[in-house]
Amino acid sequence: QSALTQPASVSGSPGQSITISCTGTSSDIGGYDYVSWYQQHPGKGPQLIVYEVSYRPSRVSSRFSGSKSGNAASLTISGLQAEDEADYYCSSYTSRSTLIFGGGTKLTVL
Amino acid sequence: VQLVESGGGVVQPGRSLRLSCAASGFTFRSYAMHWVRQAPGKGLEWVAVISYDGSNKYYADSVMGRFTISRDSSKSTLYLQMNSLRSEDTAVYFCAREDGEAGYILNSWGQGTLVTVSS
């Protein structure tokens, strides 16, 4: 099964908002509200920032928000900060009871 | 919650390796657990999941028939037995705890252990 499709890179200035897209199929994103997003800083393990499309763990800033429409999901980061610079991955539960990740998006804060 | 992977190293193609993930700070037997890997400079790739009681296991197509996930709740440890290793299995392997009742939400991760498959 091919990875979910994400843009390779996005960038924004401090204080701005950016959105990262994640496209799948009806067998994954389109079939379930089980989309998650992860943030990974260099040399570190991934950290969950959004789950079940739009929910945030309590430790995660409200600047991070998620949504879904059809076979696509998106992550929006508002009020960009320098520490947001990282790699971001979407994931989705699939009809085969597996998990699929996106290829990852590198966020650069200018 | 703490997850500590071990067992990585350099191994020749075709050989085997077993990874371990020692869990602490939570009731290990109550949670499903996953392995996820990341090839050098590449993205995340899901490998396998085992249910809280070990009764259900699912694998990525890329490792099906070669890798086996297992757990020992008496030792609070997760395992990944990797056989017939290939160069494309070279990666950092992370273990992760699944939260929630469904949907494979990975809320806690270890720091990973590096597996290098090379002759």
Side-chain angles (χ1 to χ4, degrees):
Chain A
Q1 189 170 10
S2 299
L4 303 174
T5 301
Q6 296 182 234
S9 63
V10 297
S11 63
S13 300
Q16 288 185 334
S17 295
I18 63 96
T19 296
I20 299 173
S21 61
C22 174
T23 304
T25 70
S26 58
S27 296
D28 39 68
I29 292 177
Y32 309 91
D33 285 336
Y34 291 137
V35 176
S36 296
W37 289 88
Y38 299 88
Q39 178 190 63
Q40 186 180 32
H41 287 106
K44 303 289 188 180
Q47 182 177 43
L48 178 72
I49 54 173
V50 170
Y51 65 97
E52 292 180 359
V53 176
S54 60
Y55 294 90
R56 288 186 310 275
S58 56
R59 55 178 165 71
V60 174
S61 169
S62 59
R63 298 186 298 106
F64 294 87
S65 61
S67 64
K68 189 189 97 165
S69 178
N71 295 339
S74 61
L75 173 72
T76 298
I77 308 174
S78 59
L80 269 180
Q81 300 180 0
E83 57 263 35
D84 297 334
E85 186 161 294
D87 293 327
Y88 291 84
Y89 295 91
C90 60
S91 74
S92 176
Y93 177 78
T94 82
S95 59
R96 298 173 62 202
S97 296
T98 62
L99 184 67
I100 186 169
F101 283 98
T105 298
K106 181 177 180 59
L107 169 61
T108 301
V109 180
L110 302 171
Chain B
V1 175
Q2 189 170 19
L3 300 170
V4 179
E5 302 91 340
S6 62
V10 179
V11 60
Q12 294 179 328
R15 303 297 290 262
S16 299
L17 201 63
R18 189 178 81 159
L19 305 182
S20 300
C21 169
S24 60
F26 65 100
T27 305
F28 180 73
R29 63 178 178 272
S30 296
Y31 290 86
M33 298 292 295
H34 295 247
W35 286 101
V36 176
R37 68 184 180 182
Q38 186 169 35
K42 302 297 184 181
L44 301 174
E45 180 187 14
W46 179 79
V47 173
V49 59
I50 185 169
S51 59
Y52 71 98
D53 61 357
S55 61
N56 291 299
K57 306 173 186 180
Y58 297 95
Y59 299 90
D61 289 345
S62 58
V63 307
M64 183 89 70
R66 299 187 300 123
F67 290 11
T68 301
I69 189 172
S70 63
R71 63 192 299 158
D72 184 339
S73 290
S74 69
K75 297 181 179 179
S76 294
T77 301
L78 174 72
Y79 301 102
L80 185 68
Q81 177 67 42
M82 304 186 295
N83 298 333
S84 302
L85 282 162
R86 306 166 180 168
S87 58
E88 54 263 39
D89 296 319
T90 293
V92 174
Y93 285 73
F94 298 98
C95 64
R97 189 188 85 175
E98 177 182 325
D99 282 9
E101 297 185 356
Y104 291 6
I105 301 165
L106 306 183
N107 198 17
S108 302
W109 296 66
Q111 286 302 300
T113 186
L114 176 62
V115 172
T116 302
V117 183
S118 174
S119 55

